[in-house]
Amino acid sequence: HAKVQAHVSHAVFNPAMHEQAVARFQLETDLRRAIERQPFQVYYQPIISLAMGKITGFEALVRWIHPTRGMVSPMEFIPLAEETGLISFIDWWVLREACTQLRIWQQAFAKDSASLTMSVNFSGLHLVQLGLLERLDQVLRETGVEGCNLKLEITESGLLKNATSGTEILQELKTLGVKLSIDDFGTGYSSLARLHQLPIDTLKIDRSFVSRMGNEGESLEIIRAIMMLAHSLEMDVIAEGVETQEQLSRLRSLNCEYGQGYFFSRPVDSQRAEELLAAQLQW
Ligand code: C2E
Ligand code: MG
Ligand code: MG
Ligand code: MG
């Protein structure tokens, strides 16, 4: 009987797996083709200083405009790009685009925006690439952006996987003045000792904690603990995924430095982002 059942579940399972593999292969083929035509676009989501209630920077988030499927989420194609090595092309393209845009905004809104920052997602895989420092330095020089206004966001898991050999490369990045953030903090398993060794400037608290802080006291305590940890290591904190006034108020009462989320703005195209800057919104 068991044998029959196994057989049946196989018959049901296999076509689905096959379909999934075909879909994945199709997406990979599309992505390779896309890279030649560069149908990518950078969206920008404001990052708000909670003390001032004002925009202090943006995070650059890549979008892929697929010829038939429309906008494909980075959640879908970034992992694929990392597996296939195409991530190198994407991240460097986004970096250059975002730095060019930052320079334009700094000049257009010079008075309050000289210190405007740009956060760019950077796969941990780049940390083991040769010539990283030179390449980064070149982008900064060509776009006229100061290192201190660029923040590279590396996920907690990407950091652990690729920087295990030591912190030299991160230390070297710091010589360019570039800031380093740990993205999605709280979802990986970094030990405190490890964290202490890394020259990180900012922790980005994963939005799963922020979204639960309203109804579960526990999440609030986790955020409080992360903030204490960050501050004792002289890092500042960005709360991701702020969606409500209540979350904002709680984060403020915890003295969280920065917030980012739909409550302030969704990621928007450069034109809309510029309008947000020009409007000098106050939260
Ligand atoms: P991330 O770096 O943690 O970026 C934040 C993600 O959360 C973005 O999703 C953003 O749209 C979303 N988000 C922001 N505020 C809220 C909110 O209030 N509620 C909810 N539900 N979501 C919010 P997005 O743009 O789909 O990007 C997903 C992930 O893809 C990013 O997560 C990042 O890990 C990766 N990614 C995006 N662009 C790049 C890139 O250029 N290079 C690399 N390597 N990864 C990228
Ligand atoms: Mg990020
Ligand atoms: Mg994040
Ligand atoms: Mg996240």
Side-chain angles (χ1 to χ4, degrees), residues 183-184 206-207 240:
D183 209 341
D184 303 343
D206 192 68
R207 85 166 177 263
E240 295 187 321

Side-chain angles (χ1 to χ4, degrees), residues 17-32:
M17 274 180 72
H18 178 69
E19 233 168 78
Q20 219 177 18
V22 169
R24 188 193 171 283
F25 181 72
Q26 184 61 52
L27 199 65
E28 182 181 333
T29 308
D30 291 352
L31 190 59
R32 283 188 193 283

Side-chain angles (χ1 to χ4, degrees), residues 107-128:
Q107 284 168 332
F109 302 92
K111 239 215 218 123
D112 339 270
S113 300
S115 61
L116 200 67
T117 61
M118 186 61 75
S119 299
V120 177
N121 293 287
F122 207 61
S123 168
L125 292 172
H126 309 313
L127 298 178
V128 294

Side-chain angles (χ1 to χ4, degrees), residues 137-199:
D137 188 39
Q138 192 182 356
V139 173
L140 291 173
R141 275 186 290 109
E142 286 177 12
T143 58
V145 165
E146 303 247 12
C148 65
N149 292 325
L150 175 65
K151 296 185 168 195
L152 296 179
E153 297 193 355
I154 303 173
T155 59
E156 191 179 8
S157 54
L159 200 61
L160 294 180
K161 258 184 266 162
N162 298 285
T164 40
S165 58
T167 60
E168 295 88 29
I169 190 65
L170 296 176
Q171 300 286 4
E172 283 176 30
L173 287 179
K174 299 296 305 174
T175 65
L176 296 177
V178 167
K179 306 276 194 231
L180 299 175
S181 308
I182 301 190
D183 209 341
D184 303 343
F185 186 77
T187 59
Y189 299 91
S190 20
S191 70
L192 297 188
R194 185 87 187 100
L195 199 59
H196 185 60
Q197 289 163 0
L198 303 174

Side-chain angles (χ1 to χ4, degrees), residues 25-241:
F25 181 72
Q26 184 61 52
L27 199 65
E28 182 181 333
T29 308
D30 291 352
L31 190 59
R32 283 188 193 283
R33 286 209 189 108
I35 282 192
E36 290 158 25
R37 289 179 292 102
Q38 312 196 359
F40 297 102
Q41 200 179 340
V42 182
Y43 269 41
Y44 299 93
Q45 186 176 35
I47 294 174
I48 280 79
S49 151
L50 298 188
M52 296 190 295
K54 286 183 170 281
I55 296 175
T56 61
F58 289 91
E59 176 174 4
L61 294 157
V62 71
R63 298 291 180 259
W64 175 20
I65 321 297
H66 187 280
T68 55
R69 297 179 46 187
M71 215 182 259
V72 184
S73 163
M75 307 275 272
E76 199 175 340
F77 71 88
I78 292 292
L80 184 62
E82 287 190 326
E83 281 171 43
T84 55
L86 298 170
I87 192 67
S88 174
F89 175 88
I90 294 172
D91 279 1
W92 286 101
W93 181 83
V94 171
L95 180 71
R96 185 174 290 271
E97 184 80 9
C99 285
T100 304
Q101 185 61 73
L102 175 64
R103 192 70 197 121
I104 292 170
W105 285 336
Q106 284 179 332
Q107 284 168 332
F109 302 92
K111 239 215 218 123
D112 339 270
S113 300
S115 61
L116 200 67
T117 61
M118 186 61 75
S119 299
V120 177
N121 293 287
F122 207 61
S123 168
L125 292 172
H126 309 313
L127 298 178
V128 294
Q129 296 295 309
L130 289 175
L132 170 63
L133 210 63
E134 291 73 13
R135 216 170 159 186
L136 204 53
D137 188 39
Q138 192 182 356
V139 173
L140 291 173
R141 275 186 290 109
E142 286 177 12
T143 58
V145 165
E146 303 247 12
C148 65
N149 292 325
L150 175 65
K151 296 185 168 195
L152 296 179
E153 297 193 355
I154 303 173
T155 59
E156 191 179 8
S157 54
L159 200 61
L160 294 180
K161 258 184 266 162
N162 298 285
T164 40
S165 58
T167 60
E168 295 88 29
I169 190 65
L170 296 176
Q171 300 286 4
E172 283 176 30
L173 287 179
K174 299 296 305 174
T175 65
L176 296 177
V178 167
K179 306 276 194 231
L180 299 175
S181 308
I182 301 190
D183 209 341
D184 303 343
F185 186 77
T187 59
Y189 299 91
S190 20
S191 70
L192 297 188
R194 185 87 187 100
L195 199 59
H196 185 60
Q197 289 163 0
L198 303 174
I200 301 296
D201 302 281
T202 306
L203 289 190
K204 294 193 79 169
I205 301 184
D206 192 68
R207 85 166 177 263
S208 55
F209 299 107
V210 177
S211 68
R212 290 194 307 250
M213 77 190 291
N215 35 33
E216 284 173 51
E218 216 174 280
S219 266
L220 189 71
E221 288 314 312
I222 291 173
I223 292 180
R224 198 195 301 276
I226 292 175
M227 299 226 9
M228 274 175 59
L229 165 69
H231 291 160
S232 71
L233 296 175
E234 287 173 351
M235 300 171 184
D236 48 32
V237 175
I238 303 184
E240 295 187 321

